Amino acid sequence: MEPRSTAARGTSQTPEARQERSPRQVVADYVSLTKPRIIELLLVTTFPVMFLAERGVPDVWLIVATLIGGSLSAGSANTLNCYLDRDIDAKMHRTEGRPLVTGAISPRNALIFGIALGIISSLWLGLLVNWLSAGLSLAANVLYVGFYTVLLKRRTSQNIVWGGVAGCMPVLIGWSAVTNSLSWAALVLFLVVFFWTPPHYWPLSMRFRDDYAEAGVPMLPVIAKDVAVARQVVLYSWATVATSLALVPVGDMGWIYLLTAVVSGGVFLLEAHKLLARAKSHASNAVLRPMRLFHYSISYLTLLFIGVAVDPLLHFAL
């Protein structure tokens, strides 16, 4: 194996080298710590739920305030995750370019940045939305940083299952932002995201299993055979789709949501079963194509939550 680059081994830049970087580069590095693509996916579940909670179009300022506060909170959690995982990030090809690994940002500055974002997000949501949403946002931060990153990630193959609870919280935040309360419909959508997380993340872990193995992170695909992982993916996919259909009676959903859930869910299940079939044939990673399901899982969740938002606006009762 060829030796890693200096950056990949986690060697920090000197303070002089950091000072030579332009303000734009510095801002870009701090933004990358927040993992914007993950934040986008979290907002996909926050925004539509607000329409369902309102049974119409919520106040525009409330939407903006909630999304800003949620983004700051998620950015805080992701930054603190980068801070705590900088040692294993240096061992993985997928993450070896992150600012804390290359030394573009010092660990101390990243820690301060992450804590500051967390405090600002809690105050923002509490003062401009409501304190229930602020509390749920803070709980999501604690779950992701303390429960998943510190307690579970390096200790159990079920890390993403229970650690994924943090990723379900935006559903509750979106609902509570509108109603200042929670409901059974919000809980059902919480469970949809909970069951969806393993069949979303395990295919990615299959693709990068060597990275996780080298870093000593016991993701399920690292310690189990492809067939066993794919079977779990299928089971969780069925649980996801079944739970999404439970929203129809619980949330008084109409034809738009039902058809969206059935069609997009059907494709999701088909892709999961195809992955299992390829795993049973002992296909190589190139033929296994786990990223096919990973990418569609994002499309599935997006389509489903679009249905959540549109159905109360153009409600056709069953």
Side-chain angles (χ1 to χ4, degrees), residues 7-307:
R9 291 195 296 271
T11 302
S12 298
Q13 297 177 2
T14 64
E16 292 78 10
R18 284 198 287 266
Q19 288 175 0
E20 292 174 359
R21 302 171 68 254
S22 69
R24 183 174 181 178
Q25 290 174 315
V26 173
V27 170
D29 282 331
Y30 275 99
V31 170
S32 71
L33 281 181
T34 68
K35 303 180 184 178
R37 295 187 67 180
I38 293 179
I39 293 177
E40 289 175 9
L41 191 57
L42 296 176
L43 297 184
V44 162
T45 60
T46 307
F47 179 68
V49 171
M50 298 180 73
F51 284 77
L52 180 59
E54 183 70 30
R55 303 302 299 192
V57 181
D59 179 78
V60 174
W61 166 243
L62 180 63
I63 294 174
V64 172
T66 303
L67 296 185
I68 290 175
S71 297
L72 292 172
S73 178
S76 167
N78 290 333
T79 298
L80 295 174
N81 171 265
C82 286
Y83 170 79
L84 293 168
D85 278 354
R86 62 191 186 279
D87 58 330
I88 60 177
D89 282 347
K91 300 176 182 178
M92 298 172 63
H93 289 290
R94 187 170 66 90
T95 56
E96 63 188 13
R98 287 179 175 171
L100 280 171
V101 178
T102 64
I105 296 175
S106 69
R108 177 178 178 275
N109 287 347
L111 179 61
I112 293 172
F113 180 60
I115 293 173
L117 285 180
I119 294 172
I120 293 170
S121 67
S122 295
L123 292 175
W124 177 280
L125 287 170
L127 295 172
L128 300 180
V129 180
N130 58 58
W131 289 105
L132 175 58
S133 297
L136 291 169
S137 177
L138 180 60
N141 201 323
V142 171
L143 284 169
Y144 186 67
V145 176
F147 189 54
Y148 171 67
T149 305
V150 175
L151 184 63
L152 298 178
K153 186 173 182 178
R154 308 187 193 207
R155 291 179 172 85
T156 172
S157 62
Q158 296 299 301
N159 48 21
I160 200 62
V161 177
W162 300 108
V165 169
C168 308
M169 298 297 282
V171 171
L172 303 185
I173 294 168
W175 189 279
S176 66
V178 173
T179 66
N180 200 18
S181 65
L182 297 175
S183 73
W184 288 111
L187 178 60
V188 169
L189 288 170
F190 176 97
L191 291 174
V192 168
V193 181
F194 175 79
F195 289 128
W196 167 87
T197 301
H200 164 67
Y201 202 86
W202 279 337
L204 179 72
S205 303
M206 295 171 83
R207 168 65 178 82
F208 294 102
R209 83 174 80 234
D210 292 341
D211 266 6
Y212 286 113
E214 184 174 350
V217 180
M219 291 295 180
L220 185 62
V222 173
I223 67 171
K225 294 182 178 180
D226 286 340
V227 173
V229 177
R231 285 197 179 107
Q232 290 292 308
V233 166
V234 167
L235 289 174
Y236 275 101
S237 298
W238 274 99
T240 303
V241 175
T243 306
S244 73
L245 295 176
L247 185 64
V248 175
V250 173
D252 189 28
M253 308 304 285
W255 280 106
I256 292 176
Y257 174 81
L258 177 60
L259 291 175
T260 302
V262 169
V263 174
S264 61
V267 177
F268 188 41
L269 292 174
L270 178 63
E271 289 296 334
H273 279 278
K274 283 183 176 179
L275 179 65
L276 176 58
R278 292 193 293 270
K280 286 181 176 179
S281 69
H282 303 290
S284 64
N285 202 55
V287 179
L288 191 62
R289 292 178 295 169
M291 294 299 286
R292 180 183 174 96
L293 178 57
F294 170 78
H295 290 303
Y296 180 72
S297 68
I298 298 173
S299 299
Y300 164 72
L301 196 71
T302 302
L303 290 170
L304 185 72
F305 275 81
I306 287 175

